[in-house]
Amino acid sequence: MNPWLHAVLYSLVLVTVLMTCTAYATWLERKVAGRMQSRLGPTRVGFAGLLQPIADALKLLQKEDIVPLAADRALFNLAPPLTVFFALATAAVIPFSPGLLASDLDIGALYVLALSGLMVFPVWIGSWASNNKYALLGGMRAVAQGISYEIPLLLSVTIVILMADTMSLSGIVQVQADEGWFIARPFGLGLATFALFFVAALAEGNRIPFDTPEAESELVAGPTTEYTGMKFGLFYMAEYLHSIIVAGLGAALFLGGWDGPIAPGLHWMVLKTLGLWMVMLWARWTFLRFRTDQMMTLCWRYLVPASLGLLMAAAVWVHAVHGVS
Amino acid sequence: MEQLAFGLVAAVLLYSALRVVSEDNLVHTVLWLGVTLATTAAAYVLLHAPFLAAIQIILYTGGALTLMLFGVMLTQRVESVEVPNAAAGQGRAAIVVALLFGVIAAAVVKTPGLPSSPPVDVPVRALGRSFLTTHLLAFEVLSVLLLTAMVGAIVLARKADPAPAPTPKPAPKAHDAHGEAHP
């Protein structure tokens, strides 16, 4: 098939599937959160509330679109679609099964990190363009958090790159399929790296317990304070998309991606992604939000030194196992 | 196809760079700079240097730009979206820039043996190896430069010089404040 046609079709399918997953992720989250708090969650719209996401989307579309008079109009309107764009663009290199990915970049892991580093920009742009002090405070927190937690995130992925000896995500999954998953290999070090990646990714995605930019008890709704209707919906969507993609990335980097017995690779990838995403939910509805200064302390005093230590340990391990190549 | 892509990237690059220097609002300037830096990464992709493109995004668009935003937000009294850019539209700068452009253009023209065809893809492995063998000195000098910058930033950011040694005595009395060192 023509590579251009293939790229367009694949992207269309991927975007559609991811958007549907995002919509139903909100349903699942509300169900799980409800059960964790002895509630039922959505039950009214459709069987077991299954039509709730569609009702939500329709409701958001009907809402009046308000742009504050003192806002920077162009940037205010630019920010919401830009967040979704960056979140979706990350999905291009996630390998779902052997050969099933939009683009098998040689530098896939770096590409993901580059885009996830950009994720804070639309949030900040939206917060600044809102011309609202709560929004701006939230935006500044988002940027501070993003740029700090990017370092342990980058270093934890660097450790995986070092151990796998490749930067291509499908290559990293293939190495794990051949030689064992990186969460358990080398013993202890892999698990610690995974924990580091997971915490940094949660913080980078502004998920509870790291959602200090949003902090509704202090900042109304943080960067999204002035947004209404579907523009708010887009921010919301981007957050869910990002969390799903981060779960997929974690599955590909540490849990062997599509590798698994009996069932085809895609099933395993989806199962692992969903599992990791459920752990995020679990964390979200269990822990309390950190304070901003605690977030910074955690990152700079503990995670950054720990990640540097792990990187050195991984280098020693790679040298001991493979020798100088 | 590649010609077309290059034309597009170059046009966006020039336009955004123009906006960086002509914009009246400092925050807009920084954001246009973000577009310029990201488009530079696109140019690297067209030159078959995807690794450089990713690093460009991570370091410049993701890192340096964020720091600039912090600089703008923390040094100005930000009371609304109007953040004036006092440096916008200065004619004198144009002369300096024209001279610099002349020097760089001359250097490009005078350099013999520049390849006219697009370069081949260099695997990241080879790139890393050359950093640690052929270009080791430049690599290390850069590290020292960055370390110096970091130490300098910490020195500048430190609130005040802490007292060299904790003085056991309370605050000096009025009559011995004539410049003599305390024992």
Side-chain angles (χ1 to χ4, degrees):
Chain A
M1 205 195 303
N2 183 334
W4 289 95
L5 188 67
H6 176 260
V8 169
L9 284 181
Y10 182 85
S11 312
L12 273 180
V13 171
L14 183 66
V15 168
T16 314
V17 169
L18 275 176
M19 286 300 192
T20 316
C21 286
T22 307
Y24 277 91
T26 65
W27 172 82
L28 188 62
E29 166 138 23
R30 288 169 71 176
K31 275 291 188 193
V32 171
R35 297 291 166 159
M36 287 179 79
Q37 299 170 342
S38 302
R39 294 184 288 113
L40 290 176
T43 55
R44 296 301 177 94
V45 194
F47 173 72
L50 272 175
L51 296 178
Q52 187 68 46
I54 297 164
D56 286 347
L58 285 176
K59 186 187 77 180
L60 282 174
L61 283 173
Q62 285 173 8
K63 295 285 180 192
E64 185 189 352
D65 173 31
I66 300 169
V67 179
L69 205 60
D72 189 320
R73 206 174 175 80
L75 288 179
F76 187 82
N77 290 332
L78 175 73
L82 208 56
T83 42
V84 177
F85 169 76
F86 282 138
L88 276 176
T90 322
V93 290
I94 307 268
F96 292 96
S97 81
L100 184 61
L101 74 171
S103 176
D104 193 3
L105 284 182
D106 272 350
I107 49 148
L110 267 188
Y111 169 87
V112 171
L113 292 172
L115 278 176
S116 82
L118 292 185
M119 280 289 284
V120 295
F121 276 105
V123 173
W124 187 86
I125 290 171
S127 75
W128 182 78
S130 299
N131 203 0
N132 173 311
K133 59 185 168 189
Y134 296 115
L136 189 58
L137 278 172
M140 291 310 281
R141 284 186 183 183
V143 173
Q145 190 168 317
I147 200 169
S148 308
Y149 279 83
E150 200 180 329
I151 297 165
L153 190 69
L154 261 165
L155 286 172
S156 67
V157 177
T158 310
I159 293 170
V160 173
I161 292 171
L162 191 64
M163 294 197 294
D165 204 20
T166 173
M167 279 191 185
S168 142
L169 281 178
S170 60
I172 289 173
V173 174
Q174 194 55 52
V175 168
Q176 295 181 78
D178 294 340
E179 297 170 30
W181 300 358
F182 282 134
I183 191 171
R185 185 178 66 95
F187 181 76
L189 181 62
L191 190 63
T193 311
F194 174 69
L196 186 74
F197 167 84
F198 195 70
V199 171
L202 273 184
E204 179 98 359
N206 295 335
R207 299 285 287 177
I208 293 175
F210 301 109
D211 69 334
T212 46
E214 207 178 301
E216 69 275 1
S217 52
E218 312 154 32
L219 297 181
V220 192
T224 54
T225 302
E226 295 286 1
Y227 281 93
T228 55
M230 208 53 209
K231 281 184 197 156
F232 168 76
L234 285 175
F235 274 115
Y236 197 68
M237 204 147 68
E239 193 189 319
Y240 274 90
L241 265 175
H242 188 65
S243 68
I244 293 173
I245 289 165
V246 158
L249 189 65
L253 286 177
F254 292 96
L255 302 179
W258 66 67
D259 178 43
I262 309 163
L266 185 60
H267 290 65
W268 283 106
M269 184 63 191
V270 170
L271 195 70
K272 287 167 186 171
T273 305
L274 191 65
L276 264 188
W277 195 74
M278 292 297 270
V279 176
M280 285 187 189
L281 272 198
W282 188 21
R284 173 164 192 180
W285 295 96
T286 308
F287 294 116
L288 297 170
R289 179 182 304 126
F290 281 105
R291 273 193 336 249
T292 294
D293 61 315
Q294 290 171 330
M295 296 265 326
M296 291 296 132
T297 310
L298 177 69
C299 181
W300 291 103
R301 288 229 178 116
Y302 300 100
L303 292 186
V304 171
S307 54
L308 287 172
L310 283 175
L311 183 62
M312 277 183 229
V316 169
W317 180 78
V318 168
H319 184 78
V321 172
H322 300 294
V324 186
S325 60
Chain B
M1 193 69 207
E2 226 152 78
Q3 293 283 325
L4 190 72
F6 177 77
L8 197 67
V9 166
V12 175
L13 199 56
L14 283 178
Y15 178 72
S16 59
L18 205 62
R19 292 300 292 263
V20 171
V21 288
S22 66
E23 196 68 54
D24 286 334
N25 189 319
L26 203 51
V27 172
H28 287 183
T29 302
V30 173
L31 294 177
W32 275 113
L33 185 62
V35 177
T36 313
L37 293 171
T39 325
T40 314
Y44 288 152
V45 171
L46 287 177
L47 289 171
H48 297 264
F51 180 74
L52 197 57
I55 295 297
Q56 164 88 9
I57 295 275
I58 292 179
L59 287 185
Y60 288 95
T61 318
L65 201 64
T66 317
L67 294 180
M68 272 185 215
L69 284 181
F70 265 100
V72 172
M73 301 311 292
L74 296 182
T75 50
Q76 298 266 350
R77 276 174 63 85
V78 180
E79 283 164 348
S80 73
V81 290
E82 306 296 330
V83 187
N85 178 10
Q90 287 193 352
R92 274 167 295 174
I95 303 166
V96 179
V97 170
L99 281 175
L100 184 66
F101 179 79
V103 168
I104 294 175
V108 170
V109 172
K110 292 259 175 177
T111 307
L114 280 178
S116 53
S117 58
V120 287
D121 289 24
V122 178
V124 178
R125 196 184 305 271
L127 213 58
R129 204 174 292 276
S130 75
F131 270 141
L132 293 178
T133 51
T134 326
H135 303 294
L136 184 61
L137 183 67
F139 189 65
E140 286 302 320
V141 168
L142 264 183
S143 324
V144 173
L145 179 70
L146 286 177
L147 184 68
T148 317
M150 203 141 81
V151 172
I154 291 170
V155 169
L156 286 178
R158 213 162 46 173
K159 277 191 189 102
D161 220 16
T167 43
K169 281 197 285 185
K173 288 165 202 133
H175 65 261
D176 62 14
H178 46 60
E180 264 186 25
H182 288 283

